[in-house]
Amino acid sequence: MDYKDRWTEFEVQSLAFSILRKNLYPRYLVRGEYKFLAARTDIAIFKANPVGQAPTLLCVIEIKKSDNGKSTKQGERYTQELGVPCVYVRGVSEAYNILSLVQPHL
């Protein structure tokens, strides 16, 4: 078996998730592979509310392993169904830059 130098989508998602979780908690809740009635998002960010109040969904994130694709169809569907912005992360360099990508939506 050959070792491939390219990152998998799981690895890119894990990187983005760990950066978000480390830097946003406890003010925001970061959930991976979060399932809503109509969608399963790669990452969902919620505003943590006081005890007794449900967290507020702020945005969802769709991860792609490379920066080659430019389709936004899935994100548009998430935005329409969930009523929040969908941020695309395409590749490792954007995963490392995840905080600046989500900042406008927090």
Side-chain angles (χ1 to χ4, degrees):
M1 250 190 213
D2 291 331
Y3 177 80
K4 295 185 177 158
D5 200 25
R6 294 177 299 220
W7 288 54
T8 66
E9 188 167 305
F10 169 79
E11 292 168 326
V12 175
Q13 182 175 336
S14 295
L15 173 63
F17 178 84
S18 64
I19 290 170
L20 289 169
R21 195 82 176 266
K22 178 182 176 187
N23 289 281
L24 297 181
Y25 184 83
R27 209 166 159 212
Y28 300 95
L29 306 175
V30 180
R31 301 291 307 272
E33 291 290 324
Y34 198 83
K35 185 170 182 171
F36 296 93
L37 290 176
R40 176 175 298 178
T41 63
D42 290 333
I43 298 174
I45 300 177
F46 296 84
K47 171 93 170 84
N49 289 326
V51 175
Q53 292 182 17
T56 305
L57 179 63
L58 298 177
C59 69
V60 295
I61 300 169
E62 181 61 26
I63 305 289
K64 300 299 179 192
K65 69 180 177 180
S66 72
D67 57 1
N68 293 341
K70 298 300 177 203
S71 174
T72 59
K73 192 178 287 189
Q74 190 173 14
E76 291 167 5
R77 182 174 64 89
Y78 288 164
T79 296
Q80 182 178 20
E81 292 176 3
L82 302 173
V84 296
C86 179
V87 176
Y88 271 88
V89 173
R90 292 184 168 95
V92 177
S93 62
E94 286 190 3
Y96 276 115
N97 196 32
I98 187 69
L99 289 172
S100 65
L101 293 174
V102 299
Q103 191 59 44
H105 309 292
L106 302 180

